[in-house]
Amino acid sequence: MDIMEHFLRVELQCEEAYTEMLLFVASLYIRSGEFEGEEYVIRKLDHTNFIIAREYVGLDGAREVSRAFVVDRHALISKINKHVRVRGMTLINTCV
């Protein structure tokens, strides 16, 4: 399983998670920031670029980051919507 597929499967377990994540990703009013999911953090660098990384606390108590990847806004919204469509969730209409 690739990283994007793992990210989607872990983070999009319910419609509430989907709604919150999609509103963060699609919002043009949030220029930068972080969205913390169950295992992954989405870092919004600007309106169109995101870094998604798996984060956890290591044995020494320090925050560990792994499996990071970069994705643009349109590709991320498309993959999120495709994943929830397959799972039978109701899609949200956003301005893309």
Side-chain angles (χ1 to χ4, degrees):
M1 167 183 341
D2 73 350
I3 300 169
M4 175 63 87
E5 185 180 329
H6 185 261
F7 159 71
L8 294 170
R9 191 161 39 135
V10 167
E11 298 300 339
L12 297 175
Q13 297 291 323
C14 64
E15 288 200 31
E16 182 181 354
Y18 162 62
T19 301
E20 291 175 11
M21 182 186 298
L22 190 64
L23 292 177
F24 172 77
V25 171
S27 175
L28 296 176
Y29 298 105
I30 303 171
R31 292 190 304 181
S32 65
E34 289 187 353
F35 178 87
E36 293 187 26
E38 295 296 320
E39 291 184 28
Y40 288 85
V41 173
I42 302 172
R43 286 189 181 82
K44 192 172 200 177
L45 303 175
D46 55 32
H47 291 301
T48 58
N49 298 294
F50 299 85
I51 296 175
I52 300 174
R54 193 172 187 186
E55 290 192 351
Y56 57 93
V57 177
L59 296 174
D60 60 355
R63 189 166 82 168
E64 304 283 333
V65 176
S66 68
R67 301 182 77 175
F69 60 98
V70 177
V71 63
D72 72 60
R73 180 175 178 259
H74 292 288
L76 183 54
I77 290 171
S78 175
K79 291 195 181 283
I80 289 170
N81 283 332
K82 181 179 177 184
H83 179 80
V84 299
R85 188 178 307 115
V86 168
R87 295 204 53 194
M89 293 183 202
T90 304
L91 293 177
I92 297 171
N93 187 15
T94 60
C95 298
V96 186

